[in-house]
Amino acid sequence: MELLARGRLQKMPVVHQTPVAYTLKVGDAALDANTLLGKPIKLVFENEIRCSNCQRLTKKSFNQGYCYPCFQKLASCDKCIMSPELCHYDQGTCREPSWGDAHCMQPHVVYLANSTGLKVGITRGTQVPTRWIDQGAIQALPIASVSTRKLSGMLENKLREWVADRTNWRKMLKHEVEEIDLLAERDKLFGEINSYLSELKSQFPDEQIEWLVSGELFNFSYPHLAWPEKAKTYNLDKTPEIEDTLMAIKGQYLIFEQACLNIRKYGAYEVSLYA
Ligand SMILES: [Zn+2]
């Protein structure tokens, strides 16, 4: 095997085409991951983790790539990112108001997606359709458009009364998923959510809150030779050297013959890649 790249592992950029095109980023190298399908690969963790924000060495990675001080300081690591309805920007307590301006006080969509069954979620308008690919969804449909992250979180929270907001990642990796009629699900939900939408609009008359009656339906297929029978995962902390054949790529996972590697989880890990 020959060394292809050495450097920090990063989240894989994706392009929405059929199938999805993945780039594997290792340091400055950007490799066409789809062309690695069917090939034996060796990935070695070089026992060094560098914070994705400040570059300092850290023993442990927090929130998928940060040192502990950055984890405590960055707005992107605050708990309101996981629970947008807790957004506290209005109270003047945002950890980084300029980051909040660029990421939270921006148009968001509420969507239905199908990774392993019907789920509801939110994303910033500019993250469409990347967000769904990162989750390994096979279908997605924007159902509402609102002017801030907080509003999308409030709407999502309400929709959770009828729809799950979680993905079963084991099923996602095994590709155990059936197509769903998302348009019909959307229309069914509108009957349930209609009065809450009116409430929200009167509570926030200056904000944009729009139910999308004709949102664009997205479909995704992922590069694969075969799907795994068991959803086992590699842990680079325990197994710093992986040698395996790449069989598929889905979400942010490299799916090998023996087990799967969540690239996102190991963002900031220094690795060497051989093929
Ligand atoms: Zn840091």
Side-chain angles (χ1 to χ4, degrees):
M1 284 194 182
E2 129 188 44
L3 179 67
L4 293 185
R6 178 175 167 153
R8 212 167 56 189
L9 203 54
Q10 291 151 67
K11 182 172 178 269
M12 294 184 282
V14 297
V15 179
H16 180 211
Q17 54 188 51
T18 308
V20 171
Y22 282 91
T23 300
L24 185 56
K25 290 188 84 177
V26 178
D28 295 332
L31 306 156
D32 179 345
N34 295 44
T35 62
L36 297 173
L37 277 193
K39 291 187 181 161
I41 288 170
K42 187 162 87 171
L43 195 106
V44 181
F45 171 37
E46 302 290 0
N47 208 21
E48 203 178 289
I49 306 173
R50 262 180 208 282
C51 174
S52 303
N53 182 56
C54 72
Q55 322 295 327
R56 107 180 84 195
L57 283 171
T58 172
K59 282 206 172 104
K60 204 180 148 199
S61 163
F62 295 87
N63 210 19
Q64 304 174 332
Y66 299 102
C67 68
Y68 191 68
C70 286
F71 171 65
Q72 286 185 306
K73 184 183 74 187
L74 295 173
S76 64
C77 297
D78 202 342
K79 66 174 183 300
C80 47
I81 295 304
M82 288 305 288
S83 305
E85 71 280 8
L86 301 179
C87 172
H88 45 100
Y89 181 97
D90 290 351
Q91 295 153 43
T93 53
C94 183
R95 286 178 177 184
E96 298 171 275
S98 63
W99 190 92
D101 284 336
H103 294 85
C104 303
M105 309 312 282
Q106 293 291 331
H108 275 63
V109 298
V110 182
Y111 61 82
L112 293 178
N114 176 16
S115 306
T116 56
L118 187 65
K119 69 158 257 174
V120 61
I122 67 158
T123 188
R124 196 164 72 246
T126 55
Q127 291 302 104
V128 168
T130 306
R131 173 84 176 150
W132 303 319
I133 295 171
D134 287 345
Q135 293 173 349
I138 64 160
Q139 299 168 284
L141 175 70
I143 58 169
S145 168
V146 297
S147 49
T148 65
R149 183 171 176 90
K150 185 174 191 169
L151 284 169
S152 70
M154 292 172 78
L155 199 47
E156 181 194 31
N157 224 7
K158 187 68 182 173
L159 287 164
R160 276 196 206 120
E161 289 179 20
W162 303 279
V163 187
D165 67 335
R166 292 290 150 100
T167 295
N168 179 329
W169 62 269
R170 289 175 194 278
K171 280 187 166 184
M172 187 278 285
L173 289 174
K174 291 190 279 182
H175 205 70
E176 288 177 6
V177 57
E178 304 280 332
E179 288 212 0
I180 296 174
D181 186 346
L182 293 183
L183 302 174
E185 295 294 340
R186 172 197 63 197
D187 295 344
K188 213 160 54 183
L189 277 173
F190 183 62
E192 308 283 5
I193 197 83
N194 201 2
S195 61
Y196 180 75
L197 275 173
S198 308
E199 260 174 57
L200 261 191
K201 282 180 190 169
S202 56
Q203 204 184 336
F204 301 96
D206 299 332
E207 303 286 355
Q208 187 223 350
I209 301 166
E210 188 192 351
W211 187 261
L212 300 172
V213 287
S214 56
E216 184 192 351
L217 182 64
F218 288 79
N219 290 285
F220 307 100
S221 66
Y222 297 89
H224 70 284
L225 299 174
W227 298 111
E229 280 173 24
K230 287 186 181 163
K232 287 205 299 187
T233 52
Y234 281 118
N235 180 337
L236 283 183
D237 296 309
K238 290 180 184 157
T239 312
E241 190 171 321
I242 296 171
E243 201 169 338
D244 206 340
T245 303
L246 186 66
M247 299 304 282
I249 313 173
K250 193 180 183 193
Q252 281 288 323
Y253 284 85
L254 293 182
I255 301 173
F256 294 99
E257 218 163 29
Q258 312 294 325
C260 310
L261 181 70
N262 183 357
I263 294 295
R264 192 137 199 209
K265 185 171 173 187
Y266 299 105
Y269 278 49
E270 175 89 9
V271 299
S272 296
L273 179 75
Y274 304 81

